[in-house]
Amino acid sequence: MNLSKASINLRNSFWFLPVVYGLISLVVVALSTWVDLLYVSQLEGQLPKLFLSTEKVAQSLYGPLVTAILTMTTISFSSIMVVLTTYSSQFSPRVLQDFISDRFTQHVLGIFVAGFVFALVNLLLLTGKDSRIIVSPLLTVILAITCLLFFVLFIHHSAAFVQVNNLIEKIARKSLSLVENKGELHEGEPFEKWDSWEISELKEDEGLPIYSKKMGYIQFIPYKKLIQIATQSESVIRIDADVGRYVNPGTRLATVWSADLSSFSESNVVNSIAIGTERINEQDLEFSIQKLVEIALRAISPSINDPHTAINCTNRIGTILSKIGHTYQPKEAFFDDKRNLRVLTEPKPFFQYLYKSFYQIRHYGQDDVAMLNGILDALILTADGQNEAIKRDVQKFHSYVINSIDLNGFPDLDRELLQHTSDELNRICKL
């Protein structure tokens, strides 16, 4: 497994940071014990007695602290389960990973683990000599107070995280950040800059197909890593499966053209592309938008009936699409430092982002005037200030929405509202 795939797995794992905190706690225990054995007895008269304790005091202190920290940890895990249950039942199962992978949640659990391990191991290391002066109880008290502080912060964090508006805001901000960092939109170059002889040569040769070895969703494609692989083997790699696609063993992932295929290692490409059991946010912008879509669909369902939350989602989606539109310049070619073509991709067209953002909401909300007007408002946000190509895509989807509903079936005031918003969108998209 290469570094990129390993780093993705670690970032999305729930256990990694708590384990790191636990190991750090063991190191601190070792250092504090070493200081207690070698130096504290010599400093007994120089340090304030407030900072020093006997082993008898430490023994009476460690036991209750172990119990208290374990209790706070248990309550925190219970809070996590409540949040996850709420997310799954009311919002979308896809947003569970947002809370599980939340750094603050993992740091809090890590601090609890560190406090528990520190108190428990120090309790185990007590020799029973009441006269020996040690300083480790002071560190334990400080760590226990820190755990209590983070416990209060975690309860507040969980209460804020479970509020749907805060969740929508977090997903939208992550999506906007993903637009800015999306590799094929920024690091490559447009098709027009390719050399014509390279295009002809690649079309004449079918190349070497590279197939997936396992099933799952493509989570991450390391373009820089693939450029290095192609440069070392003097080859060109075309990516045939995009991030977010579900693949089986035998699904074509890439095609390679090389002057000497015998020197090319197929496993380097296969091992570089991360494939997992679920889609993640790392490069999958469409998946990030899908979370907002699913929250909107749950909100307009008859069991919940919360159109304002759904409209909040469509507004955020409109902001994300607007950002994509301002950023979007299809870049399909990646070159090495010597301007040799190395990696080819096929970026998703803007209309695909637009269509998949609203087609389900349009279908399930076609009888709700508030929802239809919310979609049109989001299209206005998307189209405002965009170039002609983006406006044409928005106008195309606008026609799709309007033609799929019967305006005459709405009451007069509802029809006037939709017509007014539609006219405003036509004005903005006027080419």
Side-chain angles (χ1 to χ4, degrees):
M1 181 178 289
N2 60 60
L3 182 60
S4 297
K5 293 171 67 174
S7 62
I8 290 173
N9 291 332
L10 289 178
R11 280 198 299 270
N12 290 280
S13 63
F14 195 55
W15 54 266
F16 176 67
L17 279 180
V19 168
V20 171
Y21 274 95
L23 294 176
I24 293 175
S25 178
L26 290 176
V27 173
V28 176
V29 168
L31 291 175
S32 63
T33 303
W34 177 66
V35 170
D36 285 339
L37 293 174
L38 296 182
Y39 296 104
V40 171
S41 59
Q42 302 175 11
L43 301 174
E44 183 175 354
Q46 302 178 21
L47 290 177
K49 292 184 179 181
L50 180 64
F51 297 152
L52 303 175
S53 301
T54 63
E55 285 201 2
K56 183 176 181 180
V57 174
Q59 195 166 18
S60 63
L61 179 66
Y62 288 151
L65 285 180
V66 169
T67 304
I69 294 174
L70 187 59
T71 301
M72 287 189 289
T73 306
T74 303
I75 296 175
S76 299
F77 271 106
S78 299
S79 301
I80 290 173
M81 295 308 299
V82 170
V83 172
L84 296 184
T85 302
T86 303
Y87 275 22
S88 180
S89 61
Q90 294 190 14
F91 305 144
S92 166
R94 254 63 59 186
V95 300
L96 295 179
Q97 60 179 241
D98 289 82
F99 187 75
I100 292 176
S101 61
D102 179 59
R103 282 300 182 215
F104 184 80
T105 301
Q106 295 181 3
H107 281 298
V108 168
L109 294 180
I111 289 174
F112 288 162
V113 169
F116 178 79
V117 170
F118 188 85
L120 185 63
V121 175
N122 271 319
L123 179 62
L124 180 65
L125 294 177
L126 291 178
T127 62
K129 297 180 181 179
D130 297 344
S131 59
R132 189 163 70 91
I133 301 299
I134 55 178
V135 74
S136 54
L138 174 64
L139 300 179
T140 308
V141 170
I142 295 174
L143 188 55
I145 294 174
T146 303
C147 289
L148 179 61
L149 174 63
F150 274 88
F151 175 72
V152 175
L153 292 175
F154 177 73
I155 297 300
H156 172 75
H157 176 72
S158 300
F161 217 110
V162 79
Q163 297 177 27
V164 64
N165 289 334
N166 291 336
L167 174 62
I168 293 171
E169 173 72 14
K170 289 180 181 294
I171 296 175
R173 288 190 179 277
K174 285 184 179 179
S175 301
L176 292 172
S177 176
L178 184 57
V179 174
E180 295 178 354
N181 298 326
K182 196 164 174 59
E184 67 268 30
L185 296 183
H186 304 283
E187 298 172 0
E189 297 188 20
F191 176 85
E192 290 77 6
K193 292 187 179 180
W194 294 3
D195 293 328
S196 58
W197 68 268
E198 290 177 314
I199 303 170
S200 302
E201 184 177 345
L202 294 180
K203 286 183 177 180
E204 292 174 359
D205 188 355
E206 293 184 357
L208 171 68
I210 297 178
Y211 301 103
S212 171
K213 298 295 190 294
K214 58 181 181 179
M215 63 181 180
Y217 292 96
I218 297 179
Q219 297 176 331
F220 183 78
I221 298 177
Y223 295 101
K224 293 182 179 179
K225 177 69 174 179
L226 293 177
I227 292 173
Q228 294 176 2
I229 294 173
T231 302
Q232 293 171 359
S233 58
E234 290 295 327
S235 58
V236 177
I237 302 173
R238 184 186 69 201
I239 304 299
D240 295 322
D242 198 9
V243 171
R245 178 180 171 184
Y246 183 84
V247 296
N248 280 323
T251 299
R252 191 164 182 160
L253 295 179
T255 303
V256 176
W257 292 271
S258 178
D260 183 13
L261 289 175
S262 61
S263 63
F264 183 84
S265 175
E266 178 182 340
S267 61
N268 286 340
V269 176
V270 174
N271 293 332
S272 296
I273 299 176
I275 299 177
T277 57
E278 61 180 355
R279 300 173 71 174
I280 62 175
N281 295 329
E282 191 71 23
Q283 284 184 333
D284 198 347
L285 178 57
E286 191 177 297
F287 178 59
S288 297
I289 297 175
Q290 179 186 330
K291 294 179 182 180
L292 294 175
V293 172
E294 291 189 358
I295 294 174
L297 294 177
R298 290 287 182 96
I300 62 177
S301 64
S303 60
I304 297 179
N305 194 23
D306 183 12
H308 293 291
T309 294
I311 292 172
N312 189 11
C313 290
T314 58
N315 289 336
R316 304 292 182 171
I317 293 173
T319 301
I320 296 169
L321 291 174
S322 176
K323 181 71 172 179
I324 296 175
H326 286 295
T327 306
Y328 189 79
Q329 295 179 2
K331 298 178 179 180
E332 304 161 312
F334 293 77
F335 297 84
D336 61 17
D337 296 336
K338 297 181 180 179
R339 299 295 302 159
N340 295 313
L341 180 63
R342 292 306 178 195
V343 177
L344 304 178
T345 65
E346 188 174 351
K348 296 176 182 177
F350 176 80
F351 187 79
Q352 181 172 334
Y353 290 111
L354 178 61
Y355 176 75
K356 290 193 174 182
S357 296
F358 294 115
Y359 79 103
Q360 286 182 303
I361 300 176
R362 180 213 62 81
H363 175 73
Y364 291 102
Q366 61 183 347
D367 297 325
D368 189 334
V369 64
M371 202 66 258
L372 291 173
N373 194 67
I375 294 175
L376 296 179
D377 282 334
L379 294 178
I380 290 175
L381 289 175
T382 303
D384 194 16
Q386 303 288 353
N387 58 47
E388 294 185 359
I390 301 297
K391 288 183 177 180
R392 277 195 295 268
D393 285 340
V394 174
Q395 186 64 26
K396 177 181 177 181
F397 191 82
H398 173 214
S399 300
Y400 160 74
V401 172
I402 295 299
N403 293 334
S404 64
I405 61 176
D406 181 16
L407 284 176
N408 294 325
F410 287 95
D412 292 342
L413 292 180
D414 292 347
R415 186 167 59 251
E416 288 179 10
L417 174 64
L418 292 176
Q419 190 62 55
H420 174 75
T421 310
S422 180
D423 291 342
E424 177 68 14
L425 181 57
N426 285 327
R427 184 188 65 79
I428 292 176
C429 291
K430 187 177 181 180
L431 302 177

